[in-house]
Coordinates of all heavy atoms in Angstrom, one line a residue:
V8 N 0.8 -1.2 0.0 CA 0.0 0.0 0.0 C 0.9 1.2 0.0 O 1.8 1.3 0.8 CB -0.9 0.0 1.2 CG1 -1.7 1.3 1.3 CG2 -1.8 -1.2 1.3
S9 N 0.6 2.2 -0.9 CA 1.3 3.4 -1.0 C 0.3 4.6 -1.2 O -0.6 4.4 -2.0 CB 2.4 3.4 -2.1 OG 3.4 2.5 -1.8
T10 N 0.6 5.7 -0.6 CA -0.2 6.9 -0.8 C 0.7 8.1 -1.2 O 1.7 8.3 -0.6 CB -1.0 7.3 0.4 OG1 -1.9 6.2 0.7 CG2 -1.8 8.5 0.2
S11 N 0.3 8.8 -2.3 CA 1.0 10.0 -2.7 C 0.0 11.2 -2.6 O -1.2 11.0 -2.9 CB 1.4 9.9 -4.1 OG 2.4 8.9 -4.3
G12 N 0.5 12.3 -2.1 CA -0.4 13.5 -2.0 C 0.4 14.7 -1.7 O 1.6 14.7 -1.5
N13 N -0.4 15.8 -1.6 CA 0.3 17.1 -1.4 C -0.1 17.7 0.0 O 0.1 18.9 0.2 CB -0.2 18.2 -2.5 CG 0.6 18.1 -3.7 OD1 1.7 17.5 -3.7 ND2 0.0 18.6 -4.8
Y14 N -0.5 16.9 0.9 CA -0.9 17.3 2.2 C 0.0 16.7 3.2 O 0.3 15.5 3.2 CB -2.3 17.0 2.5 CG -3.3 18.0 1.9 CD1 -3.7 17.8 0.6 CD2 -3.8 19.1 2.6 CE1 -4.5 18.7 -0.1 CE2 -4.6 20.0 2.0 CZ -5.0 19.8 0.6 OH -5.8 20.7 0.0
E15 N 0.5 17.5 4.2 CA 1.3 17.0 5.3 C 0.8 17.7 6.5 O 0.8 19.0 6.7 CB 2.7 17.4 5.1 CG 3.6 16.8 6.1 CD 5.1 17.1 5.8 OE1 5.5 16.8 4.7 OE2 5.8 17.5 6.7
R16 N 0.2 16.9 7.5 CA -0.3 17.4 8.7 C -1.3 18.5 8.5 O -1.3 19.6 9.2 CB 0.8 17.9 9.6 CG 1.8 16.8 10.0 CD 2.8 17.2 11.0 NE 3.7 16.1 11.2 CZ 4.9 16.2 11.6 NH1 5.4 17.4 11.9 NH2 5.7 15.1 11.8
G17 N -2.2 18.3 7.5 CA -3.3 19.2 7.3 C -3.1 20.4 6.4 O -4.0 21.2 6.2
R18 N -1.8 20.6 6.0 CA -1.6 21.8 5.1 C -1.0 21.3 3.8 O -0.3 20.3 3.7 CB -0.6 22.8 5.8 CG 0.8 22.3 6.1 CD 1.6 23.4 6.8 NE 2.9 22.9 7.0 CZ 3.9 23.1 6.2 NH1 3.8 23.9 5.1 NH2 5.1 22.7 6.4
Q19 N -1.3 22.1 2.7 CA -0.9 21.7 1.4 C 0.6 22.0 1.2 O 1.1 23.1 1.5 CB -1.7 22.5 0.3 CG -1.4 22.0 -1.0 CD -2.4 22.6 -2.1 OE1 -3.1 23.5 -1.8 NE2 -2.4 22.0 -3.2
V20 N 1.3 21.0 0.8 CA 2.8 21.1 0.5 C 3.1 20.4 -0.8 O 3.4 19.3 -0.9 CB 3.6 20.3 1.6 CG1 5.1 20.5 1.4 CG2 3.2 20.8 3.0
P21 N 2.9 21.2 -1.9 CA 3.2 20.7 -3.2 C 4.6 20.2 -3.4 O 5.5 21.0 -3.3 CB 2.8 21.8 -4.2 CG 2.1 22.8 -3.4 CD 2.5 22.6 -2.0
H22 N 4.8 19.0 -3.8 CA 6.2 18.5 -4.0 C 6.2 17.5 -5.2 O 7.3 17.0 -5.5 CB 6.7 17.9 -2.7 CG 6.0 16.7 -2.3 ND1 4.8 16.7 -1.6 CD2 6.3 15.4 -2.5 CE1 4.4 15.5 -1.4 NE2 5.3 14.7 -1.9
I23 N 5.1 17.2 -5.7 CA 5.0 16.3 -6.9 C 4.9 17.1 -8.1 O 4.0 18.0 -8.2 CB 3.9 15.2 -6.8 CG1 4.2 14.3 -5.5 CG2 3.9 14.4 -8.0 CD1 3.1 13.3 -5.2
I24 N 5.7 17.0 -9.1 CA 5.8 17.9 -10.3 C 5.1 17.2 -11.5 O 5.4 16.0 -11.8 CB 7.2 18.3 -10.6 CG1 7.9 18.9 -9.4 CG2 7.3 19.2 -11.8 CD1 7.2 20.1 -8.8
N25 N 4.3 17.9 -12.2 CA 3.7 17.4 -13.5 C 4.9 17.3 -14.5 O 5.5 18.3 -14.7 CB 2.7 18.4 -13.9 CG 2.0 18.0 -15.3 OD1 2.7 17.7 -16.2 ND2 0.7 17.9 -15.3
P26 N 5.1 16.1 -15.1 CA 6.2 16.0 -16.0 C 6.0 16.7 -17.3 O 7.0 17.0 -18.0 CB 6.2 14.5 -16.3 CG 4.8 14.0 -16.0 CD 4.3 14.9 -14.9
F27 N 4.8 17.2 -17.6 CA 4.6 17.9 -18.9 C 4.7 19.4 -18.7 O 5.2 20.1 -19.6 CB 3.2 17.5 -19.4 CG 3.1 16.1 -19.7 CD1 2.3 15.3 -18.9 CD2 3.8 15.4 -20.7 CE1 2.2 13.9 -19.1 CE2 3.7 14.1 -20.9 CZ 2.9 13.3 -20.1
S28 N 4.2 19.9 -17.6 CA 4.2 21.4 -17.4 C 5.4 21.9 -16.5 O 5.8 23.0 -16.6 CB 2.9 21.8 -16.7 OG 2.9 21.4 -15.3
G29 N 6.0 21.0 -15.7 CA 7.0 21.3 -14.8 C 6.6 22.1 -13.6 O 7.4 22.6 -12.8
K30 N 5.2 22.1 -13.4 CA 4.7 22.8 -12.2 C 4.1 21.8 -11.2 O 3.8 20.7 -11.6 CB 3.5 23.7 -12.7 CG 4.0 24.8 -13.6 CD 2.9 25.7 -14.0 CE 3.5 26.8 -15.0 NZ 2.5 27.8 -15.3
P31 N 4.0 22.2 -9.9 CA 3.4 21.3 -8.9 C 2.0 20.9 -9.3 O 1.2 21.6 -9.8 CB 3.4 22.1 -7.7 CG 4.4 23.2 -7.9 CD 4.4 23.5 -9.4
V32 N 1.7 19.6 -9.0 CA 0.4 19.1 -9.2 C -0.5 19.5 -8.1 O -0.2 19.3 -6.9 CB 0.4 17.5 -9.3 CG1 -1.0 17.0 -9.5 CG2 1.3 17.1 -10.4
D33 N -1.7 20.1 -8.4 CA -2.6 20.4 -7.4 C -4.1 20.0 -7.7 O -5.0 20.4 -7.0 CB -2.6 21.9 -7.1 CG -3.0 22.7 -8.3 OD1 -3.3 22.2 -9.4 OD2 -3.0 24.0 -8.2
A34 N -4.2 19.1 -8.7 CA -5.6 18.7 -9.1 C -6.2 17.7 -8.1 O -7.4 17.6 -8.0 CB -5.5 18.1 -10.5
L35 N -5.4 16.9 -7.5 CA -5.8 15.8 -6.6 C -5.4 16.1 -5.2 O -4.4 16.7 -4.9 CB -5.3 14.5 -7.1 CG -5.6 14.1 -8.5 CD1 -4.9 12.8 -8.9 CD2 -7.1 13.9 -8.7
K36 N -6.1 15.5 -4.2 CA -5.7 15.6 -2.8 C -4.7 14.4 -2.5 O -3.7 14.6 -1.9 CB -6.9 15.5 -1.9 CG -6.5 15.6 -0.4 CD -7.8 15.6 0.4 CE -7.4 15.7 1.9 NZ -8.6 15.7 2.8
S37 N -5.1 13.2 -3.0 CA -4.2 12.0 -2.7 C -4.6 10.9 -3.7 O -5.7 10.8 -4.2 CB -4.3 11.6 -1.3 OG -5.6 11.0 -1.0
V38 N -3.6 10.0 -3.8 CA -3.8 8.7 -4.6 C -3.3 7.6 -3.7 O -2.1 7.7 -3.3 CB -3.1 8.8 -5.9 CG1 -3.2 7.4 -6.6 CG2 -3.7 9.8 -6.8
T39 N -4.1 6.6 -3.5 CA -3.6 5.4 -2.8 C -3.7 4.2 -3.7 O -4.7 4.0 -4.4 CB -4.5 5.1 -1.5 OG1 -4.4 6.3 -0.6 CG2 -4.0 3.9 -0.8
V40 N -2.6 3.4 -3.7 CA -2.6 2.2 -4.5 C -2.3 1.0 -3.6 O -1.4 1.0 -2.8 CB -1.5 2.3 -5.6 CG1 -1.4 1.0 -6.4 CG2 -1.7 3.4 -6.6
I41 N -3.2 0.0 -3.8 CA -3.0 -1.3 -3.1 C -2.7 -2.4 -4.1 O -3.5 -2.6 -5.0 CB -4.4 -1.6 -2.4 CG1 -4.8 -0.5 -1.4 CG2 -4.2 -2.9 -1.6 CD1 -6.2 -0.5 -0.9
T42 N -1.6 -3.0 -3.9 CA -1.2 -4.1 -4.8 C -0.2 -5.0 -4.1 O 0.2 -4.7 -2.9 CB -0.5 -3.5 -6.1 OG1 -0.3 -4.6 -7.1 CG2 0.8 -2.8 -5.9
D43 N 0.2 -6.1 -4.7 CA 1.0 -7.1 -4.1 C 2.4 -6.7 -3.9 O 3.2 -7.3 -3.1 CB 1.0 -8.4 -4.9 CG -0.4 -9.0 -4.9 OD1 -1.2 -8.8 -4.0 OD2 -0.7 -9.8 -5.9
N44 N 2.9 -5.7 -4.7 CA 4.3 -5.3 -4.7 C 4.4 -3.9 -4.2 O 3.9 -2.9 -4.8 CB 4.8 -5.4 -6.1 CG 6.3 -5.1 -6.3 OD1 6.7 -4.0 -5.9 ND2 7.0 -6.0 -6.9
G45 N 5.2 -3.7 -3.1 CA 5.3 -2.4 -2.5 C 6.0 -1.3 -3.4 O 5.5 -0.2 -3.5
A46 N 7.0 -1.7 -4.1 CA 7.7 -0.8 -5.0 C 6.8 -0.4 -6.2 O 6.7 0.8 -6.6 CB 9.0 -1.4 -5.6
M47 N 6.0 -1.3 -6.6 CA 5.0 -1.0 -7.7 C 3.9 -0.1 -7.2 O 3.5 0.9 -7.9 CB 4.4 -2.3 -8.2 CG 3.4 -2.1 -9.4 SD 4.1 -1.4 -10.9 CE 4.9 -2.8 -11.5
S48 N 3.4 -0.3 -6.0 CA 2.4 0.6 -5.5 C 2.9 2.0 -5.3 O 2.2 3.0 -5.5 CB 1.8 0.1 -4.2 OG 2.7 0.1 -3.1
D49 N 4.2 2.1 -4.9 CA 4.8 3.5 -4.7 C 4.9 4.2 -6.0 O 4.6 5.3 -6.2 CB 6.2 3.3 -4.0 CG 6.8 4.7 -3.7 OD1 6.1 5.6 -3.4 OD2 8.1 4.7 -3.9
A50 N 5.4 3.5 -7.0 CA 5.6 4.1 -8.4 C 4.3 4.4 -9.0 O 4.1 5.5 -9.5 CB 6.3 3.1 -9.3
L51 N 3.3 3.6 -8.8 CA 2.0 3.9 -9.4 C 1.3 5.0 -8.7 O 0.6 5.9 -9.4 CB 1.1 2.6 -9.4 CG 1.4 1.5 -10.3 CD1 0.6 0.3 -10.0 CD2 1.3 1.9 -11.8
S52 N 1.4 5.1 -7.4 CA 0.7 6.2 -6.7 C 1.2 7.5 -7.1 O 0.5 8.5 -7.3 CB 0.7 6.0 -5.2 OG 2.0 6.1 -4.7
T53 N 2.6 7.6 -7.2 CA 3.2 8.9 -7.7 C 2.8 9.2 -9.1 O 2.5 10.3 -9.5 CB 4.7 8.8 -7.5 OG1 5.0 8.5 -6.1 CG2 5.4 10.1 -7.9
A54 N 2.9 8.2 -10.0 CA 2.6 8.4 -11.4 C 1.1 8.9 -11.6 O 0.9 9.8 -12.3 CB 2.8 7.1 -12.2
V55 N 0.2 8.2 -11.0 CA -1.2 8.6 -11.1 C -1.5 10.0 -10.6 O -2.2 10.8 -11.2 CB -2.2 7.5 -10.4 CG1 -3.6 8.0 -10.3 CG2 -2.1 6.2 -11.2
F56 N -0.8 10.3 -9.4 CA -1.0 11.6 -8.9 C -0.4 12.7 -9.8 O -1.1 13.7 -10.1 CB -0.3 11.7 -7.5 CG -0.6 13.0 -6.8 CD1 -1.7 13.0 -5.9 CD2 0.1 14.1 -6.9 CE1 -2.0 14.2 -5.2 CE2 -0.2 15.3 -6.3 CZ -1.2 15.3 -5.4
A57 N 0.8 12.4 -10.4 CA 1.4 13.4 -11.2 C 0.6 13.6 -12.5 O 0.6 14.7 -13.1 CB 2.8 12.9 -11.6
L58 N 0.0 12.5 -13.0 CA -0.8 12.6 -14.2 C -2.2 13.2 -14.0 O -2.9 13.4 -15.0 CB -0.8 11.2 -14.9 CG 0.5 10.7 -15.4 CD1 0.4 9.3 -15.9 CD2 1.1 11.6 -16.5
G59 N -2.6 13.3 -12.8 CA -3.9 13.8 -12.5 C -5.1 12.8 -12.6 O -6.2 13.2 -12.6
G60 N -4.8 11.6 -12.7 CA -5.8 10.5 -12.8 C -5.2 9.2 -13.4 O -4.0 9.2 -13.6
I61 N -6.1 8.3 -13.6 CA -5.6 7.0 -14.0 C -5.6 6.9 -15.6 O -6.7 7.1 -16.2 CB -6.6 5.9 -13.5 CG1 -6.7 5.9 -12.0 CG2 -6.1 4.5 -14.0 CD1 -7.7 5.0 -11.4
P62 N -4.5 6.8 -16.2 CA -4.4 6.7 -17.6 C -5.1 5.4 -18.1 O -5.1 4.4 -17.3 CB -2.9 6.6 -18.0 CG -2.2 7.0 -16.7 CD -3.2 6.8 -15.6
E63 N -5.6 5.3 -19.3 CA -6.3 4.1 -19.8 C -5.4 2.9 -19.7 O -5.8 1.8 -19.4 CB -6.7 4.4 -21.2 CG -7.6 3.3 -21.8 CD -8.1 3.6 -23.2 OE1 -8.5 4.8 -23.4 OE2 -8.1 2.7 -24.0
S64 N -4.1 3.1 -19.9 CA -3.1 1.9 -19.8 C -3.0 1.3 -18.5 O -2.6 0.2 -18.3 CB -1.8 2.4 -20.3 OG -1.3 3.4 -19.5
M65 N -3.4 2.1 -17.4 CA -3.3 1.6 -16.0 C -4.7 1.1 -15.5 O -4.8 0.6 -14.4 CB -2.8 2.6 -15.1 CG -1.4 3.0 -15.3 SD -0.9 4.2 -14.0 CE 0.7 4.7 -14.6
A66 N -5.7 1.3 -16.3 CA -7.1 1.0 -15.8 C -7.4 -0.4 -15.4 O -8.2 -0.6 -14.5 CB -8.1 1.5 -16.8
D67 N -6.7 -1.4 -16.0 CA -7.1 -2.8 -15.7 C -5.9 -3.6 -15.3 O -5.7 -4.7 -15.6 CB -7.6 -3.4 -17.0 CG -9.0 -2.8 -17.4 OD1 -9.8 -2.6 -16.5 OD2 -9.2 -2.6 -18.6
L68 N -5.0 -3.0 -14.4 CA -3.9 -3.7 -13.9 C -4.4 -4.8 -12.9 O -5.2 -4.6 -12.1 CB -3.0 -2.8 -13.1 CG -2.2 -1.7 -13.9 CD1 -1.5 -0.7 -13.0 CD2 -1.3 -2.4 -14.9
P69 N -3.8 -6.0 -13.1 CA -4.3 -7.1 -12.2 C -3.9 -6.9 -10.8 O -2.8 -6.4 -10.5 CB -3.6 -8.4 -12.8 CG -2.4 -7.8 -13.6 CD -2.8 -6.4 -14.0
N70 N -4.7 -7.4 -9.9 CA -4.5 -7.3 -8.4 C -4.1 -5.9 -7.9 O -3.2 -5.8 -7.0 CB -3.4 -8.3 -8.0 CG -3.7 -9.7 -8.4 OD1 -4.9 -10.2 -8.2 ND2 -2.8 -10.5 -9.0
T71 N -4.7 -4.9 -8.5 CA -4.3 -3.5 -8.1 C -5.6 -2.7 -8.0 O -6.5 -2.7 -8.8 CB -3.5 -2.9 -9.2 OG1 -2.3 -3.7 -9.4 CG2 -3.0 -1.5 -8.9
D72 N -5.7 -2.0 -6.8 CA -6.8 -1.1 -6.6 C -6.2 0.3 -6.4 O -5.2 0.5 -5.8 CB -7.5 -1.4 -5.3 CG -8.3 -2.8 -5.4 OD1 -8.9 -3.0 -6.4 OD2 -8.2 -3.6 -4.4
I73 N -6.8 1.3 -7.1 CA -6.4 2.7 -7.0 C -7.5 3.5 -6.5 O -8.6 3.5 -7.0 CB -5.9 3.2 -8.4 CG1 -4.8 2.3 -9.0 CG2 -5.5 4.6 -8.4 CD1 -4.4 2.6 -10.4
I74 N -7.2 4.3 -5.4 CA -8.2 5.1 -4.8 C -7.8 6.6 -5.0 O -6.7 6.9 -4.5 CB -8.4 4.8 -3.3 CG1 -8.8 3.3 -3.2 CG2 -9.4 5.7 -2.6 CD1 -8.5 2.7 -1.8
I75 N -8.6 7.4 -5.5 CA -8.3 8.8 -5.8 C -9.2 9.7 -5.0 O -10.4 9.5 -4.9 CB -8.4 9.2 -7.3 CG1 -7.4 8.3 -8.1 CG2 -8.1 10.7 -7.5 CD1 -7.5 8.5 -9.6
E76 N -8.6 10.7 -4.3 CA -9.3 11.7 -3.5 C -9.0 13.1 -4.1 O -8.0 13.4 -4.5 CB -9.0 11.7 -2.1 CG -9.4 10.4 -1.4 CD -9.1 10.5 0.1 OE1 -8.1 11.2 0.5 OE2 -9.9 9.9 0.9

């Protein structure tokens, strides 16, 4: 299980950068990924957060749940 987000102790702290614009991502509050592999869940939560949602290519990953807030 991994969670990526821009909040720390109740305040917004942008630190994930959109790879296309080079600006901090602020479209989502958090992304949590639950999967069998910890490294994969970490990479996916950051990627989904940075992209602002789940790309079609990630929509049907086996044994993977993605929760977006």
Side-chain angles (χ1 to χ4, degrees):
V8 176
S9 294
T10 299
S11 294
N13 277 340
Y14 282 82
E15 183 176 314
R16 298 184 184 157
R18 64 184 182 95
Q19 191 171 10
V20 183
H22 64 280
I23 298 175
I24 305 301
N25 179 308
F27 303 107
S28 70
K30 297 181 179 186
V32 177
D33 61 1
L35 304 174
K36 182 176 178 181
S37 68
V38 174
T39 299
V40 175
I41 304 166
T42 190
D43 297 335
N44 182 306
M47 180 64 74
S48 68
D49 184 38
L51 288 174
S52 66
T53 302
V55 170
F56 191 91
L58 294 172
I61 303 170
E63 190 175 318
S64 61
M65 291 183 191
D67 294 321
L68 292 172
N70 301 319
T71 303
D72 292 315
I73 301 174
I74 302 163
I75 298 176
E76 293 185 329

